[in-house]
């Protein structure tokens, strides 16, 4: 096995990232995956499948600054995780100047929702799910007004980000977040495939083929402007 292939395999194992450049359009695409639980400042158990934000942020910075990267494809199958870290990744993706496309496979729950909508265009497979629910907090919680104000502020940050990067309105998103009739042990709403599109969260239902077609078209459009 060549050294280049070994490095590619290592990038996949460690970071869920790989460069895709052997395509008919000769476009150079970087693939990034966010799977499992998004790990924040605290380390999760070794038995938990995680995406570490301290790995993702440098990779995104490298993709933005790398002249060999012309577009980014983001694959999502996440249960959510650390809110601050998830929002940091979402803001980073949203500020990238190159074409970006996301594809929800399996699910993109909780803080995974801002990640799914942070790209220029988004897809979800027909069986893919998105769960919108209020912010949860583990550990000791002080039952005082500042605590609830902090919860509200954090939820507003999430709602504002989602609304500003999708076709969904903040009021409707809050209704979905506070729904009491769907999740038996929690507030919130589960959206499956086409439902996420109808609510304006995701742009279209589609799979990996549709995601690649859209990303290639976006890259080609930019190249056409530069000729």
């Amino acid at each position: 096995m060549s050294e280049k292939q070994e490095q590619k395999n290592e990038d996949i194992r460690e970071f869920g990232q790989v460069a895709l450049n052997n395509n008919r359009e000769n476009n150079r695409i970087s693939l990034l995956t966010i799977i499992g639980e998004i790990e924040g400042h605290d380390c999760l158990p070794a038995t938990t499948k995680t995406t570490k934000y301290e790995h993702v942020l440098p990779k995104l910075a490298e993709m933005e600054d790398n002249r060999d990267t012309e577009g980014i494809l983001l694959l999502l199958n996440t249960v959510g995780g650390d809110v601050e870290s998830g929002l940091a990744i979402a803001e980073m993706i949203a500020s990238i100047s190159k074409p970006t496309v996301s594809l929800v496979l399996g699910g993109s729950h909780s803080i995974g929702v801002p990640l799914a909508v942070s790209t220029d265009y988004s897809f979800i497979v027909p069986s893919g799910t998105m769960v919108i629910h209020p912010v949860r907090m583990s550990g000791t919680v002080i039952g005082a007004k500042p605590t609830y104000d902090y919860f509200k502020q954090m939820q507003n940050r999430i709602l504002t980000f989602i609304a500003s990067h999708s076709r969904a309105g903040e009021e409707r998103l809050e209704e979905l977040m506070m729904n009491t009739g769907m999740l038996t042990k929690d507030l919130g709403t589960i959206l499956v495939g086409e439902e996420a599109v109808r609510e304006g969260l995701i742009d279209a239902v589609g799979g990996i083929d549709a995601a690649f077609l859209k990303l290639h078209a976006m890259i080609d459009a930019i190249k056409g402007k530069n000729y």
Side-chain angles (χ1 to χ4, degrees), residues 22-42:
N22 294 323
N23 52 76
R24 287 179 299 176
E25 290 80 3
N26 291 320
N27 292 328
R28 298 184 296 273
I29 295 171
S30 285
L31 172 69
L32 182 67
T33 60
I34 296 180
I35 59 176
E37 188 168 348
I38 299 167
E39 187 176 85
H41 303 300
D42 297 323

Side-chain angles (χ1 to χ4, degrees), residues 28-96:
R28 298 184 296 273
I29 295 171
S30 285
L31 172 69
L32 182 67
T33 60
I34 296 180
I35 59 176
E37 188 168 348
I38 299 167
E39 187 176 85
H41 303 300
D42 297 323
C43 291
L44 294 170
T47 54
T48 302
K49 183 73 70 176
T50 64
T51 294
K52 301 177 186 295
Y53 85 106
E54 68 268 27
H55 288 173
V56 177
L57 294 182
K59 277 294 178 183
L60 287 170
E62 190 271 338
M63 292 173 186
E64 168 66 17
D65 197 49
N66 190 340
R67 68 177 67 183
D68 289 332
T69 298
E70 296 176 316
I72 298 171
L73 176 61
L74 180 68
L75 300 183
L76 292 157
N77 188 9
T78 175
V79 296
D82 187 278
V83 172
E84 298 286 351
S85 301
L87 275 180
I89 297 171
E91 289 282 9
M92 190 90 158
I93 295 169
S95 64
I96 286 177

Side-chain angles (χ1 to χ4, degrees), residues 215-227:
L215 188 53
H216 282 304
M218 294 165 70
I219 295 171
D220 291 342
I222 292 175
K223 285 182 176 179
K225 293 178 183 177
N226 291 335
Y227 290 151

Side-chain angles (χ1 to χ4, degrees), residues 178-203:
M178 297 302 175
N179 179 22
T180 60
M182 181 172 285
L183 302 178
T184 57
K185 296 182 179 181
D186 196 2
L187 303 178
T189 301
I190 302 172
L191 300 173
V192 182
E194 183 62 41
E195 293 174 336
V197 177
R198 286 200 300 266
E199 290 291 350
L201 282 175
I202 299 295
D203 291 308

Side-chain angles (χ1 to χ4, degrees), residues 84 137 145-155:
E84 298 286 351
M137 184 173 289
K145 186 177 183 300
T147 302
Y148 297 104
D149 290 343
Y150 174 71
F151 268 71
K152 182 65 175 176
Q153 181 191 59
M154 187 174 289
Q155 286 179 183

